[in-house]
Amino acid sequence: EDFVRRWIAFMLQHPGTRPEVAVAFRGDEGTGKGTLARALMQIAGVHGLTVSSNEQFAGRFNAHLRNVAFLYADEVKWKDDPAAQGILKQLVTEPVISYEAKGKDIVPGRNLVHLMLTSNERRIVPAGINARRFAVFDVRDTHRNDRTYFGRIADQMEAGGLQAMVHDLSNLDLGDWHPAQHIPRTNALADQKLQSLDPATQYWAQLLDKGELPGVSAS
């Protein structure tokens, strides 16, 4: 996806500017959905962090995020927790957030986080009907569990591919492009919005999508 390529280029070229959009990849196990995130973790170095639960980045204590430029949320499961969802949305869009460590005073600080999420869950982000913070993509299963394919990618990255990627994306002409103004309307994002609805609204939305009422003949 061109959006993802530009999102990464934006992070490399403007590490101190929030993209205001989190990128999320949804797919089955073994489809390689975390391959890109792991490469970006290498690029970010000490300013990269991997988390595996929403409490680790959308909980009360968040001082460990203060120097994080790239945050990779791997297989995070979202519960119906309005507080955690509110913190996530702040992390994606707010220029200044409050940082708190255990036993320490809360202090404000710049928010430098560029967030990427991956999961095999159907609901990967808490995207409401008017969501404007998430770009969500389904990962194809073409190379699921294909060790040879992913092994070649790993070999290429170790043989200079990672440095080449950084060079190419650091020099990509973005002009005045900003992620928040170009969020793609994918089927995966539409499904996230559907999953965030209450059961009754989900039911009616599905009926509208089918265009027919149960038990009613179209003839």
Side-chain angles (χ1 to χ4, degrees):
E1 287 285 349
D2 184 61
F3 176 87
V4 176
R5 183 171 67 101
R6 288 176 172 269
W7 185 91
I8 298 171
F10 185 87
M11 178 178 68
L12 295 176
Q13 295 179 27
H14 308 285
T17 303
R18 291 161 298 102
E20 299 179 31
V21 180
V23 173
F25 295 105
R26 185 178 66 167
D28 293 333
E29 293 183 6
T31 55
K33 56 186 179 293
T35 302
L36 176 59
R38 287 189 288 272
L40 294 178
M41 280 293 298
Q42 286 186 264
I43 294 170
V46 297
H47 298 291
L49 180 67
T50 299
V51 294
S52 57
S53 70
N54 56 31
E55 290 84 1
Q56 292 178 331
F57 70 104
R60 175 180 173 183
F61 301 112
N62 64 347
H64 54 287
L65 300 178
R66 191 161 191 174
N67 295 314
V68 172
F70 177 67
L71 180 63
Y72 172 34
D74 183 23
E75 298 296 346
V76 170
K77 296 182 180 180
W78 283 101
K79 303 174 183 178
D80 291 326
D81 183 348
Q85 294 177 17
I87 293 173
L88 170 65
K89 292 174 182 178
Q90 289 181 346
L91 192 63
V92 174
T93 58
E94 292 302 314
V96 176
I97 60 176
S98 296
Y99 293 100
E100 182 177 1
K102 289 185 179 180
K104 302 290 184 178
D105 291 336
I106 298 175
V107 295
R110 289 184 64 193
N111 174 22
L112 304 176
V113 166
H114 299 70
L115 174 62
M116 182 173 287
L117 308 96
T118 61
S119 179
N120 55 24
E121 296 288 325
R122 183 177 179 185
R123 188 188 186 199
I124 184 171
V125 292
I129 195 66
N130 296 312
R132 55 181 178 83
R133 295 176 173 90
F134 306 105
V136 188
F137 305 91
D138 282 324
V139 178
R140 292 188 292 269
D141 61 0
T142 307
H143 296 286
R144 184 181 182 186
N145 296 323
D146 188 340
R147 293 182 178 273
T148 300
Y149 174 80
F150 291 112
R152 284 198 293 262
I153 293 178
D155 291 342
Q156 182 186 38
M157 297 302 277
E158 291 179 5
L162 191 66
Q163 292 84 348
M165 183 176 77
V166 172
H167 177 271
D168 289 346
L169 294 179
S170 295
N171 290 280
L172 181 66
D173 184 8
L174 293 176
D176 60 356
W177 187 90
H178 191 283
Q181 298 172 358
H182 299 85
I183 302 174
R185 298 180 179 179
T186 62
N187 290 334
L189 176 58
D191 189 52
Q192 299 306 293
K193 294 180 179 182
L194 178 63
Q195 292 301 309
S196 296
L197 299 174
D198 62 84
T201 307
Q202 281 190 38
Y203 174 75
W204 285 108
Q206 290 168 347
L207 288 183
L208 289 171
D209 185 56
K210 292 179 180 179
E212 61 182 44
L213 293 172
V216 177
S217 173
S219 58

